[in-house]
Coordinates of all heavy atoms in Angstrom, one line a residue:
M809 N 8.5 -25.6 3.0 CA 8.1 -25.4 4.4 C 7.5 -26.7 4.9 O 7.8 -27.2 6.0 CB 7.1 -24.3 4.5 CG 6.9 -23.9 5.9 SD 8.2 -22.9 6.5 CE 7.5 -22.0 7.8
A810 N 6.6 -27.3 4.1 CA 6.0 -28.5 4.6 C 7.0 -29.7 4.7 O 6.8 -30.6 5.5 CB 4.8 -28.9 3.6
S811 N 8.0 -29.7 3.8 CA 9.0 -30.7 3.8 C 9.8 -30.7 5.1 O 10.3 -31.7 5.5 CB 9.9 -30.7 2.6 OG 10.6 -29.4 2.6
K812 N 9.9 -29.5 5.7 CA 10.6 -29.4 7.0 C 9.7 -29.7 8.2 O 10.1 -30.4 9.1 CB 11.2 -28.0 7.2 CG 12.3 -27.7 6.1 CD 13.5 -27.2 6.8 CE 14.5 -26.9 5.7 NZ 15.8 -27.4 6.0
L813 N 8.4 -29.2 8.1 CA 7.5 -29.3 9.3 C 6.8 -30.6 9.4 O 6.6 -31.2 10.4 CB 6.6 -28.1 9.3 CG 7.2 -26.7 9.5 CD1 6.1 -25.6 9.3 CD2 7.9 -26.6 10.8
A814 N 6.3 -31.0 8.2 CA 5.5 -32.3 8.2 C 5.8 -33.0 6.9 O 4.9 -33.0 6.0 CB 4.0 -31.9 8.3
P815 N 6.9 -33.7 6.8 CA 7.2 -34.4 5.5 C 6.2 -35.5 5.1 O 6.0 -35.8 4.0 CB 8.6 -35.0 5.7 CG 8.9 -34.8 7.2 CD 7.9 -33.8 7.8
D816 N 5.6 -36.0 6.1 CA 4.6 -37.1 5.8 C 3.3 -36.5 5.2 O 2.6 -37.3 4.5 CB 4.2 -37.9 7.1 CG 3.8 -36.9 8.2 OD1 4.4 -35.9 8.4 OD2 2.8 -37.3 8.9
L817 N 3.1 -35.2 5.3 CA 1.9 -34.6 4.7 C 2.2 -33.9 3.4 O 1.3 -33.3 2.8 CB 1.3 -33.6 5.7 CG 0.8 -34.1 7.0 CD1 0.3 -33.0 7.9 CD2 -0.4 -35.1 6.7
L818 N 3.4 -34.0 2.9 CA 3.8 -33.3 1.7 C 2.9 -33.7 0.5 O 2.5 -32.8 -0.3 CB 5.3 -33.5 1.4 CG 5.9 -32.7 0.3 CD1 5.7 -31.2 0.5 CD2 7.3 -33.0 0.1
G819 N 2.7 -35.0 0.3 CA 1.9 -35.4 -0.8 C 0.4 -34.9 -0.7 O -0.1 -34.5 -1.7
A820 N -0.1 -35.0 0.4 CA -1.5 -34.5 0.6 C -1.6 -33.0 0.4 O -2.6 -32.5 -0.2 CB -2.0 -34.9 2.0
I821 N -0.6 -32.3 0.8 CA -0.6 -30.8 0.6 C -0.5 -30.5 -0.8 O -1.2 -29.6 -1.4 CB 0.5 -30.2 1.5 CG1 0.2 -30.3 3.0 CG2 0.7 -28.7 1.1 CD1 1.3 -29.9 3.9
A822 N 0.3 -31.2 -1.5 CA 0.5 -31.0 -3.0 C -0.8 -31.3 -3.7 O -1.2 -30.5 -4.6 CB 1.7 -31.8 -3.5
V823 N -1.4 -32.4 -3.4 CA -2.7 -32.7 -4.1 C -3.7 -31.7 -3.8 O -4.5 -31.2 -4.7 CB -3.2 -34.1 -3.7 CG1 -4.6 -34.4 -4.1 CG2 -2.2 -35.2 -4.2
A824 N -3.8 -31.2 -2.6 CA -4.8 -30.2 -2.2 C -4.6 -28.9 -2.9 O -5.5 -28.3 -3.5 CB -4.8 -30.0 -0.7
A825 N -3.3 -28.5 -3.0 CA -2.9 -27.2 -3.7 C -3.2 -27.3 -5.2 O -3.8 -26.4 -5.7 CB -1.5 -26.9 -3.4
Y826 N -2.8 -28.4 -5.8 CA -3.1 -28.5 -7.3 C -4.6 -28.6 -7.6 O -5.1 -28.1 -8.6 CB -2.3 -29.6 -7.9 CG -0.8 -29.2 -8.1 CD1 0.2 -29.7 -7.3 CD2 -0.5 -28.3 -9.1 CE1 1.5 -29.3 -7.5 CE2 0.8 -27.9 -9.3 CZ 1.8 -28.4 -8.5 OH 3.1 -28.0 -8.7
S827 N -5.3 -29.3 -6.7 CA -6.7 -29.4 -6.9 C -7.4 -28.1 -6.8 O -8.3 -27.7 -7.6 CB -7.3 -30.4 -5.8 OG -6.8 -31.6 -6.0
Y828 N -7.0 -27.3 -5.8 CA -7.6 -25.9 -5.7 C -7.3 -25.1 -6.9 O -8.1 -24.4 -7.4 CB -7.0 -25.3 -4.4 CG -7.4 -23.8 -4.4 CD1 -8.6 -23.4 -4.0 CD2 -6.4 -22.8 -4.6 CE1 -9.0 -22.1 -4.0 CE2 -6.7 -21.5 -4.6 CZ -8.0 -21.1 -4.3 OH -8.3 -19.8 -4.3
M829 N -6.0 -25.1 -7.4 CA -5.6 -24.3 -8.5 C -6.4 -24.8 -9.8 O -6.8 -23.9 -10.6 CB -4.1 -24.4 -8.8 CG -3.3 -23.7 -7.8 SD -1.5 -23.6 -8.2 CE -1.1 -25.3 -8.2
A830 N -6.7 -26.1 -9.9 CA -7.4 -26.5 -11.0 C -8.9 -26.1 -11.0 O -9.6 -25.9 -12.0 CB -7.3 -28.1 -11.1
L831 N -9.4 -25.9 -9.8 CA -10.8 -25.6 -9.6 C -11.1 -24.1 -9.6 O -12.3 -23.7 -9.7 CB -11.4 -26.2 -8.3 CG -11.5 -27.7 -8.3 CD1 -11.9 -28.1 -6.9 CD2 -12.6 -28.1 -9.2
V832 N -10.1 -23.2 -9.6 CA -10.3 -21.8 -9.6 C -11.1 -21.3 -10.8 O -12.0 -20.5 -10.6 CB -8.9 -21.1 -9.5 CG1 -9.0 -19.6 -9.9 CG2 -8.3 -21.2 -8.1
P833 N -10.8 -21.8 -12.0 CA -11.7 -21.3 -13.1 C -13.1 -21.7 -13.0 O -14.0 -21.1 -13.6 CB -11.1 -22.0 -14.3 CG -9.7 -22.4 -14.0 CD -9.7 -22.6 -12.5
I834 N -13.4 -22.7 -12.2 CA -14.8 -23.1 -12.0 C -15.5 -22.4 -10.8 O -16.6 -22.0 -10.9 CB -14.9 -24.7 -11.8 CG1 -14.4 -25.4 -13.0 CG2 -16.3 -25.1 -11.4 CD1 -14.1 -26.8 -12.8
I835 N -14.7 -22.2 -9.8 CA -15.2 -21.6 -8.5 C -15.3 -20.0 -8.7 O -16.2 -19.4 -8.2 CB -14.3 -21.9 -7.4 CG1 -14.3 -23.4 -7.1 CG2 -14.7 -21.2 -6.1 CD1 -13.3 -23.9 -6.1
Q836 N -14.3 -19.4 -9.3 CA -14.2 -17.9 -9.3 C -15.4 -17.2 -10.0 O -15.9 -16.2 -9.5 CB -12.9 -17.5 -9.9 CG -12.7 -16.0 -9.7 CD -11.3 -15.6 -10.3 OE1 -10.7 -16.3 -11.0 NE2 -10.9 -14.4 -9.9
P837 N -15.8 -17.6 -11.2 CA -16.9 -16.9 -11.9 C -18.1 -16.7 -11.1 O -18.6 -15.5 -11.1 CB -17.1 -17.6 -13.2 CG -15.7 -18.3 -13.4 CD -15.2 -18.7 -12.1
P838 N -18.7 -17.7 -10.5 CA -20.0 -17.4 -9.8 C -19.8 -16.5 -8.6 O -20.6 -15.7 -8.2 CB -20.4 -18.8 -9.3 CG -19.5 -19.8 -9.9 CD -18.4 -19.1 -10.6
I839 N -18.6 -16.6 -7.9 CA -18.3 -15.7 -6.8 C -18.2 -14.3 -7.3 O -18.8 -13.4 -6.6 CB -17.0 -16.2 -6.1 CG1 -17.2 -17.6 -5.4 CG2 -16.6 -15.2 -5.0 CD1 -16.0 -18.2 -4.9
M840 N -17.5 -14.1 -8.4 CA -17.3 -12.7 -8.9 C -18.7 -12.1 -9.3 O -18.9 -11.0 -9.2 CB -16.3 -12.7 -10.0 CG -14.9 -13.1 -9.6 SD -14.3 -12.3 -8.1 CE -14.2 -10.6 -8.7
K841 N -19.5 -13.0 -9.9 CA -20.8 -12.6 -10.4 C -21.7 -12.2 -9.2 O -22.4 -11.2 -9.2 CB -21.5 -13.7 -11.1 CG -22.7 -13.2 -11.9 CD -23.2 -14.3 -12.8 CE -24.4 -13.8 -13.6 NZ -24.9 -14.8 -14.5
A842 N -21.5 -12.9 -8.1 CA -22.3 -12.6 -6.9 C -21.8 -11.3 -6.2 O -22.6 -10.6 -5.6 CB -22.2 -13.7 -5.9
L843 N -20.5 -11.0 -6.3 CA -20.0 -9.8 -5.6 C -20.0 -8.5 -6.4 O -19.6 -7.5 -5.9 CB -18.5 -10.2 -5.1 CG -18.4 -11.3 -4.1 CD1 -17.0 -11.6 -3.8 CD2 -19.2 -11.0 -2.8
T844 N -20.3 -8.6 -7.7 CA -20.3 -7.4 -8.5 C -21.7 -7.2 -9.1 O -22.5 -8.1 -9.3 CB -19.3 -7.5 -9.6 OG1 -19.6 -8.7 -10.4 CG2 -17.8 -7.6 -9.1
T845 N -21.9 -5.9 -9.5 CA -23.1 -5.5 -10.2 C -23.0 -5.7 -11.7 O -21.9 -5.8 -12.2 CB -23.6 -4.1 -9.9 OG1 -22.6 -3.2 -10.4 CG2 -23.7 -3.9 -8.4
V846 N -24.1 -5.7 -12.4 CA -24.1 -5.8 -13.8 C -23.3 -4.6 -14.5 O -22.5 -4.8 -15.4 CB -25.6 -5.9 -14.4 CG1 -25.6 -5.9 -15.9 CG2 -26.3 -7.1 -13.9
E847 N -23.6 -3.4 -13.9 CA -22.9 -2.3 -14.4 C -21.3 -2.4 -14.2 O -20.6 -2.0 -15.1 CB -23.4 -1.0 -13.7 CG -24.8 -0.6 -14.0 CD -25.8 -1.4 -13.2 OE1 -25.5 -1.9 -12.1 OE2 -26.9 -1.6 -13.7
E848 N -20.9 -2.9 -13.1 CA -19.5 -3.1 -12.9 C -18.9 -4.1 -13.9 O -17.8 -3.9 -14.3 CB -19.2 -3.5 -11.4 CG -19.5 -2.4 -10.4 CD -19.3 -3.0 -9.0 OE1 -19.6 -4.1 -8.7 OE2 -18.9 -2.2 -8.1
R849 N -19.6 -5.1 -14.2 CA -19.1 -6.1 -15.1 C -19.0 -5.6 -16.5 O -18.3 -6.2 -17.3 CB -19.9 -7.4 -15.0 CG -19.7 -8.1 -13.7 CD -20.3 -9.6 -13.7 NE -21.7 -9.6 -13.9 CZ -22.6 -9.6 -13.0 NH1 -22.3 -9.4 -11.7 NH2 -23.9 -9.7 -13.3
K850 N -19.8 -4.6 -16.8 CA -19.8 -4.0 -18.2 C -18.7 -3.0 -18.4 O -18.4 -2.7 -19.6 CB -21.1 -3.3 -18.5 CG -22.3 -4.3 -18.7 CD -23.6 -3.5 -19.0 CE -24.7 -4.5 -19.2 NZ -26.0 -3.8 -19.5
I851 N -18.0 -2.6 -17.4 CA -16.9 -1.7 -17.5 C -15.8 -2.3 -18.3 O -15.3 -3.4 -18.0 CB -16.4 -1.2 -16.1 CG1 -17.5 -0.5 -15.4 CG2 -15.1 -0.3 -16.3 CD1 -17.1 -0.1 -13.9
K852 N -15.3 -1.6 -19.3 CA -14.2 -2.0 -20.1 C -12.9 -1.2 -19.7 O -13.0 0.0 -19.7 CB -14.5 -1.8 -21.6 CG -15.6 -2.6 -22.1 CD -15.4 -4.1 -22.1 CE -16.6 -4.9 -22.6 NZ -16.6 -6.2 -22.2
M853 N -11.9 -1.9 -19.4 CA -10.6 -1.3 -19.0 C -9.8 -0.9 -20.3 O -9.6 -1.8 -21.2 CB -9.8 -2.2 -18.2 CG -10.5 -2.6 -16.9 SD -10.9 -1.3 -15.8 CE -9.3 -0.9 -15.2
A854 N -9.4 0.3 -20.4 CA -8.6 0.8 -21.5 C -7.2 0.9 -21.1 O -6.9 1.2 -19.9 CB -9.1 2.2 -22.0
E855 N -6.3 0.7 -22.0 CA -4.8 0.8 -21.7 C -4.5 2.3 -21.6 O -4.9 3.1 -22.4 CB -4.0 0.3 -22.9 CG -4.0 -1.2 -22.9 CD -3.0 -1.8 -23.9 OE1 -2.0 -1.1 -24.2 OE2 -3.3 -2.9 -24.5
L856 N -3.8 2.7 -20.5 CA -3.4 4.1 -20.3 C -2.3 4.5 -21.3 O -2.2 5.6 -21.7 CB -3.0 4.3 -18.9 CG -4.1 4.1 -17.8 CD1 -3.6 4.2 -16.4 CD2 -5.3 5.0 -18.1
R857 N -1.4 3.5 -21.5 CA -0.3 3.8 -22.5 C 0.2 2.5 -23.0 O -0.1 1.4 -22.5 CB 0.8 4.5 -21.7 CG 1.4 3.7 -20.6 CD 2.5 4.5 -19.9 NE 3.0 3.8 -18.8 CZ 4.1 3.0 -18.8 NH1 4.8 2.8 -19.9 NH2 4.5 2.3 -17.7
Q858 N 0.9 2.5 -24.1 CA 1.5 1.4 -24.7 C 2.8 1.0 -23.9 O 3.5 1.9 -23.4 CB 2.0 1.7 -26.1 CG 0.8 1.7 -27.1 CD 0.1 0.4 -27.3 OE1 -0.9 0.2 -26.8 NE2 0.8 -0.5 -28.0
V859 N 2.9 -0.3 -23.6 CA 4.1 -0.8 -22.9 C 4.8 -1.7 -23.9 O 4.3 -2.7 -24.4 CB 3.7 -1.6 -21.6 CG1 4.9 -2.1 -20.9 CG2 2.9 -0.7 -20.7
S860 N 6.1 -1.4 -24.0 CA 6.9 -2.2 -25.0 C 7.1 -3.6 -24.5 O 7.1 -3.9 -23.3 CB 8.3 -1.5 -25.2 OG 9.1 -1.6 -24.1
K861 N 7.4 -4.5 -25.4 CA 7.7 -5.9 -25.0 C 8.9 -6.0 -24.1 O 9.0 -6.8 -23.2 CB 7.9 -6.8 -26.2 CG 6.7 -7.1 -27.0 CD 7.0 -8.1 -28.1 CE 5.7 -8.4 -28.8 NZ 5.9 -9.4 -29.9
K862 N 9.9 -5.1 -24.4 CA 11.1 -5.1 -23.6 C 10.8 -4.8 -22.1 O 11.3 -5.4 -21.2 CB 12.1 -4.1 -24.2 CG 13.5 -4.0 -23.6 CD 14.3 -3.0 -24.3 CE 15.7 -3.1 -23.9 NZ 16.6 -2.1 -24.6
K863 N 9.9 -3.8 -21.9 CA 9.6 -3.4 -20.5 C 8.8 -4.5 -19.8 O 8.9 -4.8 -18.7 CB 8.8 -2.1 -20.5 CG 9.6 -0.9 -20.7 CD 8.8 0.3 -20.6 CE 9.6 1.6 -20.8 NZ 8.9 2.8 -20.8
K864 N 7.9 -5.2 -20.6 CA 7.1 -6.3 -20.0 C 8.0 -7.4 -19.6 O 7.9 -8.0 -18.5 CB 6.1 -6.8 -21.0 CG 4.9 -5.9 -21.2 CD 4.0 -6.4 -22.3 CE 2.9 -5.4 -22.6 NZ 2.0 -5.9 -23.6
Y865 N 9.0 -7.7 -20.5 CA 10.0 -8.8 -20.2 C 10.8 -8.4 -18.9 O 11.0 -9.3 -18.0 CB 10.9 -9.0 -21.4 CG 11.9 -10.0 -21.3 CD1 11.6 -11.4 -21.5 CD2 13.2 -9.7 -20.9 CE1 12.5 -12.4 -21.4 CE2 14.2 -10.7 -20.8 CZ 13.8 -12.0 -21.0 OH 14.8 -13.0 -20.9
Y866 N 11.3 -7.2 -18.9 CA 12.1 -6.7 -17.7 C 11.3 -6.8 -16.5 O 11.7 -7.3 -15.4 CB 12.6 -5.3 -18.0 CG 13.3 -4.7 -16.8 CD1 14.6 -5.1 -16.5 CD2 12.7 -3.8 -16.0 CE1 15.2 -4.6 -15.4 CE2 13.3 -3.3 -14.9 CZ 14.6 -3.7 -14.6 OH 15.2 -3.2 -13.5
F867 N 10.0 -6.4 -16.5 CA 9.2 -6.4 -15.3 C 9.0 -7.8 -14.8 O 9.0 -8.1 -13.6 CB 7.8 -5.7 -15.6 CG 6.9 -5.8 -14.4 CD1 7.0 -4.9 -13.4 CD2 5.9 -6.7 -14.3 CE1 6.2 -4.9 -12.3 CE2 5.0 -6.8 -13.2 CZ 5.2 -5.9 -12.2
H868 N 8.7 -8.7 -15.8 CA 8.5 -10.2 -15.4 C 9.7 -10.7 -14.7 O 9.6 -11.3 -13.6 CB 8.2 -11.0 -16.7 CG 8.3 -12.4 -16.5 ND1 7.2 -13.1 -15.8 CD2 9.2 -13.4 -16.8 CE1 7.6 -14.4 -15.8 NE2 8.8 -14.6 -16.3
W869 N 10.9 -10.5 -15.2 CA 12.1 -11.1 -14.6 C 12.4 -10.4 -13.3 O 12.9 -11.0 -12.4 CB 13.3 -11.1 -15.6 CG 13.1 -12.2 -16.6 CD1 12.7 -12.1 -17.9 CD2 13.2 -13.6 -16.3 NE1 12.6 -13.3 -18.4 CE2 12.9 -14.3 -17.5 CE3 13.5 -14.3 -15.2 CZ2 12.9 -15.6 -17.6 CZ3 13.6 -15.7 -15.3 CH2 13.3 -16.3 -16.4
Q870 N 12.2 -9.1 -13.2 CA 12.4 -8.3 -12.0 C 11.5 -8.9 -10.9 O 12.0 -9.2 -9.8 CB 12.1 -6.9 -12.2 CG 12.4 -6.0 -11.0 CD 12.0 -4.6 -11.2 OE1 11.3 -4.2 -12.2 NE2 12.5 -3.7 -10.4
Y871 N 10.3 -9.2 -11.2 CA 9.3 -9.7 -10.2 C 9.8 -11.2 -9.8 O 9.8 -11.5 -8.7 CB 7.9 -9.8 -10.8 CG 6.9 -10.4 -9.9 CD1 6.4 -9.7 -8.8 CD2 6.4 -11.7 -10.1 CE1 5.5 -10.2 -8.0 CE2 5.5 -12.2 -9.3 CZ 5.0 -11.5 -8.2 OH 4.1 -12.0 -7.4
Y872 N 10.2 -11.9 -10.8 CA 10.6 -13.3 -10.6 C 11.8 -13.4 -9.6 O 11.8 -14.1 -8.7 CB 11.0 -14.0 -11.9 CG 11.6 -15.4 -11.7 CD1 10.8 -16.5 -11.4 CD2 13.0 -15.5 -11.9 CE1 11.4 -17.7 -11.3 CE2 13.5 -16.8 -11.7 CZ 12.7 -17.9 -11.4 OH 13.3 -19.1 -11.2
F873 N 12.8 -12.5 -9.9 CA 14.0 -12.5 -9.0 C 13.7 -12.0 -7.6 O 14.2 -12.5 -6.7 CB 15.1 -11.7 -9.7 CG 15.8 -12.4 -10.8 CD1 15.8 -11.9 -12.1 CD2 16.3 -13.7 -10.7 CE1 16.4 -12.5 -13.1 CE2 16.9 -14.4 -11.7 CZ 16.9 -13.8 -13.0
Y874 N 12.8 -11.0 -7.5 CA 12.4 -10.6 -6.2 C 11.7 -11.7 -5.4 O 12.0 -11.9 -4.3 CB 11.4 -9.4 -6.4 CG 10.8 -9.0 -5.1 CD1 11.5 -8.2 -4.2 CD2 9.5 -9.4 -4.7 CE1 10.9 -7.9 -2.9 CE2 8.9 -9.0 -3.5 CZ 9.6 -8.3 -2.6 OH 9.1 -7.9 -1.4
Q875 N 10.9 -12.5 -6.1 CA 10.2 -13.6 -5.4 C 11.2 -14.6 -5.0 O 11.1 -15.2 -3.9 CB 9.2 -14.2 -6.3 CG 7.9 -13.4 -6.6 CD 7.2 -13.1 -5.3 OE1 7.1 -14.0 -4.4 NE2 6.6 -11.9 -5.2
Q876 N 12.2 -14.9 -5.8 CA 13.2 -15.9 -5.5 C 14.1 -15.4 -4.3 O 14.4 -16.2 -3.4 CB 14.2 -16.2 -6.7 CG 13.5 -16.9 -7.8 CD 13.0 -18.3 -7.3 OE1 13.7 -19.0 -6.7 NE2 11.7 -18.6 -7.7
C877 N 14.4 -14.1 -4.3 CA 15.2 -13.6 -3.2 C 14.4 -13.6 -1.9 O 14.9 -14.0 -0.8 CB 15.7 -12.2 -3.5 SG 16.9 -12.1 -4.7
S878 N 13.1 -13.3 -2.0 CA 12.3 -13.3 -0.8 C 12.1 -14.8 -0.3 O 12.2 -15.0 0.9 CB 10.9 -12.8 -1.2 OG 10.0 -12.9 -0.1
Y879 N 12.0 -15.7 -1.2 CA 11.9 -17.1 -0.8 C 13.1 -17.6 -0.1 O 13.1 -18.3 0.9 CB 11.5 -18.0 -2.0 CG 11.4 -19.5 -1.7 CD1 10.4 -20.0 -1.0 CD2 12.4 -20.3 -2.2 CE1 10.3 -21.3 -0.7 CE2 12.3 -21.7 -1.9 CZ 11.2 -22.2 -1.1 OH 11.2 -23.5 -0.9
Q880 N 14.3 -17.3 -0.7 CA 15.6 -17.7 -0.1 C 15.8 -17.1 1.3 O 16.3 -17.7 2.2 CB 16.7 -17.2 -1.0 CG 16.8 -18.0 -2.4 CD 17.0 -19.5 -2.2 OE1 17.7 -19.9 -1.3 NE2 16.4 -20.2 -3.1
H881 N 15.3 -15.8 1.4 CA 15.4 -15.2 2.7 C 14.5 -15.9 3.8 O 14.9 -16.1 4.9 CB 15.0 -13.7 2.6 CG 15.0 -12.9 3.9 ND1 16.2 -12.6 4.5 CD2 14.1 -12.4 4.7 CE1 16.0 -12.0 5.6 NE2 14.7 -11.8 5.8
Q882 N 13.3 -16.3 3.4 CA 12.4 -17.0 4.3 C 13.0 -18.4 4.7 O 12.9 -18.8 5.8 CB 11.1 -17.2 3.6 CG 10.3 -16.0 3.5 CD 9.0 -16.2 2.7 OE1 8.8 -17.3 2.2 NE2 8.2 -15.1 2.6
L883 N 13.7 -19.0 3.7 CA 14.3 -20.3 4.0 C 15.4 -20.1 5.1 O 15.6 -20.9 6.0 CB 14.9 -20.9 2.8 CG 14.0 -21.6 1.8 CD1 14.7 -22.1 0.6 CD2 13.2 -22.7 2.5
R884 N 16.2 -19.0 4.9 CA 17.3 -18.8 5.9 C 16.7 -18.5 7.2 O 17.3 -19.0 8.3 CB 18.2 -17.6 5.4 CG 19.2 -18.1 4.4 CD 20.2 -17.0 4.0 NE 19.9 -16.7 2.6 CZ 19.6 -15.6 2.1 NH1 19.5 -14.5 2.9 NH2 19.4 -15.5 0.8
L885 N 15.6 -17.7 7.3 CA 15.0 -17.4 8.6 C 14.4 -18.7 9.3 O 14.6 -18.9 10.5 CB 13.9 -16.4 8.4 CG 14.3 -15.0 8.1 CD1 13.1 -14.1 7.9 CD2 15.2 -14.4 9.2
S886 N 13.8 -19.6 8.5 CA 13.2 -20.8 9.0 C 14.3 -21.7 9.5 O 14.1 -22.5 10.5 CB 12.3 -21.5 8.0 OG 13.1 -22.0 6.9
E887 N 15.5 -21.7 8.9 CA 16.6 -22.6 9.4 C 17.1 -22.1 10.7 O 17.6 -22.9 11.5 CB 17.7 -22.6 8.3 CG 17.3 -23.4 7.0 CD 18.4 -23.2 6.0 OE1 19.4 -22.5 6.2 OE2 18.2 -23.8 4.9
C888 N 17.1 -20.8 10.9 CA 17.7 -20.2 12.1 C 16.7 -20.3 13.3 O 17.2 -20.4 14.4 CB 18.0 -18.7 11.9 SG 19.3 -18.5 10.6
S889 N 15.4 -20.2 13.1 CA 14.5 -20.2 14.1 C 13.9 -21.5 14.4 O 12.8 -21.9 14.0 CB 13.4 -19.2 13.8 OG 12.7 -19.6 12.6
V890 N 14.6 -22.3 15.2 CA 14.1 -23.6 15.6 C 14.1 -23.7 17.1 O 14.7 -23.1 17.9 CB 15.1 -24.7 15.1 CG1 14.6 -26.1 15.6 CG2 15.0 -24.7 13.6

């Protein structure tokens, strides 16, 4: 999207995005600690059922292809709406 709307800002946008992603492990813990209680943080999540590796693999690829189709659809819409 940025390459079409503001190609001169593509480098700055990429640096900002990757910097944010790199800082998430540092920024998120204090925020989560501030927003939750001690009791909530002590809750342990149990698996409701076993999920096979085959199902996990299928779900991963199903999600990936859905995202790709959604992205391709957005590109087609952005090309048409000028």
Side-chain angles (χ1 to χ4, degrees):
M809 189 79 158
S811 62
K812 295 232 184 230
L813 297 176
D816 53 319
L817 295 177
L818 188 59
I821 292 169
V823 168
Y826 281 106
S827 298
Y828 170 74
M829 288 188 298
L831 289 173
V832 165
I834 297 167
I835 296 170
Q836 188 179 16
I839 293 171
M840 298 311 293
K841 193 171 182 181
L843 296 176
T844 58
T845 64
V846 174
E847 292 81 25
E848 288 174 329
R849 290 194 298 271
K850 287 182 180 177
I851 296 172
K852 298 295 180 196
M853 300 296 288
E855 286 188 29
L856 297 176
R857 63 183 176 92
Q858 287 292 107
V859 180
S860 68
K861 285 186 178 183
K862 189 176 185 180
K863 285 185 181 179
K864 289 179 184 178
Y865 181 81
Y866 175 74
F867 179 79
H868 168 76
W869 283 105
Q870 182 182 16
Y871 179 76
Y872 172 77
F873 286 123
Y874 172 77
Q875 290 296 325
Q876 290 299 313
C877 291
S878 176
Y879 178 70
Q880 293 297 328
H881 180 70
Q882 289 173 356
L883 283 179
R884 278 188 244 121
L885 289 178
S886 66
E887 289 172 357
C888 296
S889 59
V890 174

